[in-house]
Amino acid sequence: MRYLGCSYGYLIFSDRRHCHLVDVYTGTKVKPPKFQSECNTLIYLGILTAPLNSTNSRLILFSRISMLQWQVGTNSWTEHPHVGELIHQIVLFKGQMFAMDFVQRLHTIHIAPELSMQEVAVMWEQSMLVGLHSKPWLVVCGDMLLLVDLSVSMDQLFGFPGTFQVFRLDFSVEPAKWVKMDKLDNWALFLTNDRRNPTFSCMNPERWGGKSNYIYVPTKSEDFDEPWTAIEVGQPVPSSTHRMSFSSAATAHCSPLNSLWVLPSLVYGVDQ
């Protein structure tokens, strides 16, 4: 089976005929109806719009030629053409779905009156255009939509670590603009090297022993003694994390499942 992503506590897989949802905590499996076309062999990404027990929950899958939609509880898929770059990551922010494609254009995904996608005009800051960059992460952080960028200047390519930079999307200007943030204040962010996996934020992480203004990245348990690496914003990223991120960016949609974060409050619909 091909791994498509993790959403609301469910790992999403597909094979030649079906999509499979597996609850991370209980092992419960849900099998949506069979695919109705041959495009299933090209599916690379999946996301739930809400928890499975929600009345408006939908499973949306992306292939190289179309978007597939299954409304939970129904017996069929609806298919909509999709022409454009592969989708890199999707997040849910203030009731909307935002998607970033592989050339880092931002889009909104609309469900009604039919499944569609529309590009969002965004102005990039100059520092985002200089040097070598990994594929960025979108992170929802309270009432902010953030972009986390791992960058390495051109004179640092030979053995020097990269640095995480954080940008906030300012919707108050037209077009919207990415604005650099020097600190996360009392927030911590959770990323994974595979952009199919969800990203999270946490306010006041000191409550459970974490650190504000830090970014947490899971590590491969067979390679490291610790299950994750914590990096302060603006500080050098360890070379192991830096190499892993760059090496996985180009193959994100065909690589096997790796370590990832799953947030229980998001799974069970708890806001705190």
Side-chain angles (χ1 to χ4, degrees):
M1 294 193 295
R2 175 178 294 179
Y3 175 65
L4 305 178
C6 178
S7 187
Y8 287 101
Y10 279 88
L11 300 175
I12 306 172
F13 300 92
S14 70
D15 57 26
R16 295 183 62 87
R17 300 301 301 272
H18 283 97
C19 181
H20 303 264
L21 304 176
V22 183
D23 188 301
V24 173
Y25 295 99
T26 67
T28 302
K29 300 177 183 179
V30 176
K31 184 184 290 187
K34 289 183 179 180
F35 294 122
Q36 298 164 303
S37 71
E38 294 302 320
C39 77
N40 57 293
T41 58
L42 304 174
I43 292 172
Y44 61 87
L45 183 65
I47 186 172
L48 287 165
T49 62
L52 277 181
N53 58 4
S54 175
T55 56
N56 62 345
S57 181
R58 290 172 169 81
L59 174 62
I60 299 178
L61 306 180
F62 291 81
S63 79
R64 295 177 182 272
I65 60 174
S66 64
M67 298 182 289
L68 298 172
Q69 179 181 200
W70 173 59
Q71 184 167 358
V72 176
T74 63
N75 296 319
S76 63
W77 293 86
T78 57
E79 185 174 348
H80 305 270
H82 169 59
V83 179
E85 295 289 335
L86 295 179
I87 297 302
H88 178 61
Q89 185 191 1
I90 301 174
V91 297
L92 303 174
F93 177 64
K94 292 186 175 181
Q96 285 189 293
M97 283 191 292
F98 285 85
M100 181 164 283
D101 64 25
F102 260 76
V103 293
Q104 299 173 33
R105 291 178 299 195
L106 192 66
H107 307 263
T108 53
I109 300 173
H110 305 279
I111 296 177
E114 65 178 13
L115 192 61
S116 62
M117 186 179 304
Q118 181 178 0
E119 185 175 352
V120 179
V122 176
M123 184 180 300
W124 289 67
E125 189 172 284
Q126 185 63 32
S127 63
M128 305 171 75
L129 306 175
V130 179
L132 178 66
H133 299 260
S134 175
K135 294 294 183 184
W137 295 261
L138 293 174
V139 188
V140 175
C141 184
D143 62 355
M144 300 181 293
L145 180 60
L146 304 183
L147 181 143
V148 180
D149 178 46
L150 178 57
S151 62
V152 179
S153 62
M154 297 305 292
D155 60 348
Q156 289 181 321
L157 293 180
F158 301 99
F160 289 88
T163 304
F164 280 125
Q165 298 185 84
V166 180
F167 301 86
R168 171 183 59 86
L169 189 58
D170 183 0
F171 289 96
S172 66
V173 296
E174 186 68 33
K177 180 180 180 181
W178 292 113
V179 179
K180 187 174 181 179
M181 299 177 62
D182 293 326
K183 291 186 176 181
L184 291 171
D185 294 328
N186 59 336
W187 290 91
L189 306 182
F190 295 80
L191 312 178
T192 66
N193 293 308
D194 190 335
R195 277 49 164 204
R196 294 171 297 185
N197 297 327
T199 56
F200 302 118
S201 61
C202 176
M203 180 183 284
N204 299 325
E206 287 78 10
R207 292 176 297 174
W208 47 265
K211 297 179 181 180
S212 295
N213 199 44
Y214 271 71
I215 294 175
Y216 289 80
V217 181
T219 56
K220 295 182 179 180
S221 58
E222 67 269 21
D223 296 334
F224 301 94
D225 294 332
E226 298 294 333
W228 61 72
T229 302
I231 305 106
E232 187 173 6
V233 173
Q235 297 302 309
V237 176
S239 58
S240 56
T241 302
H242 155 245
R243 287 196 303 268
M244 203 185 313
S245 180
F246 274 94
S247 64
S248 66
T251 58
H253 291 86
C254 60
S255 60
L257 175 62
N258 290 316
S259 300
L260 71 152
W261 302 105
V262 180
L263 182 65
S265 64
L266 181 60
V267 174
Y268 297 109
V270 179
D271 293 331
Q272 299 299 324

